[in-house]
Amino acid sequence: MPLPLKARVTVRDSWEAEDSEAQKAIRSIQETVGWSVRCYPDFAVLWEGLQGVYEDGGEFVNAVAAVIRIWCQELDSLLSDAANEDWAEKFLENIGDKGTQAIILLIDVGKPGVATTTWSTSTSCFTLALPSTRVIFAPDHASELRAQIYGLFEPKESAPLEDWADLGDSKKAVPAASEGHVVVPVAAQGVAFLPTLNDVPRPDILQLQPPYRLIVHDRGNYIEVQCSHSPSLELLAGYLEKWCRAIPSRSERPPIMNVRLNKSAFGLGVVYDALTISPYDSRDPTLLPPVLVLSLVENVLGYRLAQEYAQSWRFIREEILKSSA
């Protein structure tokens, strides 16, 4: 299946361009080990398997390039760390065993939600399996890829021989390994690489990822709710509008309170970042306590109170909120 035009343009700009972040990461490995890095993803084949999970071809190509870049950065970080000298030697021995002196990386589609990497001793090739689900933020896969790369060439340490087993003949005495002594090497903590602009999703997508933060302000004559999760604000607004009383003295029977959602200045489509609740008539001294809003936030939306001040409350929710539709 041919790549759509937007995908082909993004391949040119985000993958093939010499100044792209992916090519910079590849060159960094080459400078570290002195060997070439061969990685030629077949975007057309990958698109066949992943087009259903991405909104457009440009986002798809950026995600593929970003995960490859993360793989390269973590490998380069491991090779450059002096604490991993034994590991690096074993890595180079395995790579150069067949005389190719090249790091070959194949790209495939793997399991949902996780990026995985493997090493084939028969072909001397790495395989990076991209998540079969949408990659929202590629750096989230950095730690798991680092641990997997390290595990492929993890140096094995034998247990020290502390005691000698006496078999009756001192000339035939053999060492007895100490019991319960297991050495488990652990990959060093990875460097936190600054994400690129292409890594970071649009604001309307980014703000759907937890943790969600919500702040309620009691401004005296009105209540203001700020939230990073637009659907939470929409639910609050819908509930308050549904159950708001009308003004019986007016023929048009308007609601006692105005509930207004504020459109965010960032992102695509309609995204809300604040909600205000104020009296329909500013001259009306209607008491406006925030207790109903606080109850909805905690008991319905499941946010946890993090901080409380005299006239403001700060909440957080760390679990994802999925739409029932």
Side-chain angles (χ1 to χ4, degrees), residues 55 134 201-209 228-231 264 266-271:
E55 291 187 357
R134 188 180 187 183
R202 301 193 315 258
D204 48 304
I205 298 175
L206 178 65
Q207 295 189 147
L208 292 176
Q209 308 304 310
S228 63
H229 187 240
S230 179
S264 174
F266 306 97
L268 298 178
V270 179
V271 182

Side-chain angles (χ1 to χ4, degrees), residues 240-253:
L240 295 172
E241 289 174 343
K242 177 180 179 179
W243 294 104
C244 185
R245 297 179 183 272
I247 302 177
S249 59
R250 292 176 177 263
S251 59
E252 68 274 24
R253 297 180 63 81

Side-chain angles (χ1 to χ4, degrees), residues 196-216:
T196 67
L197 283 177
N198 286 333
D199 287 339
V200 186
R202 301 193 315 258
D204 48 304
I205 298 175
L206 178 65
Q207 295 189 147
L208 292 176
Q209 308 304 310
Y212 310 127
R213 304 183 188 279
L214 185 147
I215 306 173
V216 179

Side-chain angles (χ1 to χ4, degrees), residues 87-104:
W87 180 90
E89 288 182 3
K90 187 170 183 181
F91 173 90
L92 295 175
E93 287 175 4
N94 279 271
I95 300 299
D97 187 45
K98 293 189 176 182
T100 57
Q101 294 192 340
I103 298 173
I104 303 172

Side-chain angles (χ1 to χ4, degrees), residues 3-325:
L3 282 175
L5 176 60
K6 189 172 184 179
R8 296 200 301 270
V9 172
T10 311
V11 168
R12 181 196 65 194
D13 297 338
S14 298
W15 174 253
E16 295 176 346
E18 287 297 314
D19 59 348
S20 68
E21 297 298 328
Q23 294 302 322
K24 290 178 182 177
I26 288 175
R27 286 198 299 273
S28 182
I29 295 178
Q30 293 176 163
E31 292 169 0
T32 299
V33 300
W35 293 348
S36 64
V37 177
R38 302 173 189 172
C39 180
Y40 310 106
D42 191 331
F43 286 98
V45 172
L46 296 173
W47 176 243
E48 288 186 16
L50 295 172
Q51 61 176 320
V53 300
Y54 288 98
E55 291 187 357
D56 58 58
E59 182 192 6
F60 152 75
V61 173
N62 280 327
V64 173
V67 176
I68 295 174
R69 190 194 81 245
I70 295 297
W71 188 94
C72 292
Q73 287 177 334
E74 294 305 324
L75 173 59
D76 191 35
S77 175
L78 284 168
L79 292 170
S80 303
D81 191 343
N84 296 324
E85 185 176 350
D86 292 341
W87 180 90
E89 288 182 3
K90 187 170 183 181
F91 173 90
L92 295 175
E93 287 175 4
N94 279 271
I95 300 299
D97 187 45
K98 293 189 176 182
T100 57
Q101 294 192 340
I103 298 173
I104 303 172
L105 178 62
L106 309 177
I107 311 300
D108 201 354
V109 178
K111 301 177 181 179
V114 295
T116 58
T117 189
T118 55
W119 161 256
S120 171
T121 54
S122 60
T123 62
S124 295
C125 295
F126 291 96
T127 297
L128 171 59
L130 305 169
S132 61
T133 49
R134 188 180 187 183
V135 175
I136 300 296
F137 188 55
D140 284 343
H141 299 282
S143 59
E144 64 191 25
L145 286 175
R146 182 184 181 88
Q148 290 174 31
I149 295 170
Y150 185 89
L152 296 176
F153 305 101
E154 189 175 7
K156 307 299 181 183
E157 298 184 18
S158 58
L161 306 179
E162 297 176 353
D163 301 316
W164 289 80
D166 187 0
L167 300 182
D169 187 344
S170 60
K171 295 181 181 180
K172 297 181 180 179
V174 296
S178 60
E179 297 180 359
H181 187 87
V182 180
V183 177
V184 183
V186 178
Q189 179 63 37
V191 178
F193 291 95
L194 184 69
T196 67
L197 283 177
N198 286 333
D199 287 339
V200 186
R202 301 193 315 258
D204 48 304
I205 298 175
L206 178 65
Q207 295 189 147
L208 292 176
Q209 308 304 310
Y212 310 127
R213 304 183 188 279
L214 185 147
I215 306 173
V216 179
H217 293 290
D218 183 356
R219 305 294 191 187
N221 59 339
Y222 70 96
I223 294 173
E224 178 182 326
V225 183
Q226 301 173 5
C227 186
S228 63
H229 187 240
S230 179
S232 292
L233 291 174
E234 294 179 65
L235 180 63
L236 287 174
Y239 182 89
L240 295 172
E241 289 174 343
K242 177 180 179 179
W243 294 104
C244 185
R245 297 179 183 272
I247 302 177
S249 59
R250 292 176 177 263
S251 59
E252 68 274 24
R253 297 180 63 81
I256 295 177
M257 295 294 166
N258 281 327
V259 180
R260 185 175 66 87
L261 285 165
N262 181 72
K263 291 182 181 180
S264 174
F266 306 97
L268 298 178
V270 179
V271 182
Y272 302 106
D273 57 11
L275 166 69
T276 56
I277 310 162
S278 58
Y280 178 83
D281 188 345
S282 59
R283 297 168 297 178
D284 186 357
T286 303
L287 186 63
L288 189 57
V291 289
L292 177 58
V293 173
L294 297 177
S295 178
L296 289 169
V297 169
E298 288 190 288
N299 299 333
V300 176
L301 294 175
Y303 284 74
R304 174 178 57 83
L305 181 63
Q307 294 175 311
E308 181 175 0
Y309 301 96
Q311 291 182 296
S312 69
W313 299 261
R314 298 170 186 263
F315 298 87
I316 188 169
R317 179 184 170 92
E318 297 179 352
E319 300 81 16
I320 192 169
L321 272 172
K322 297 182 180 180
S323 174
S324 58

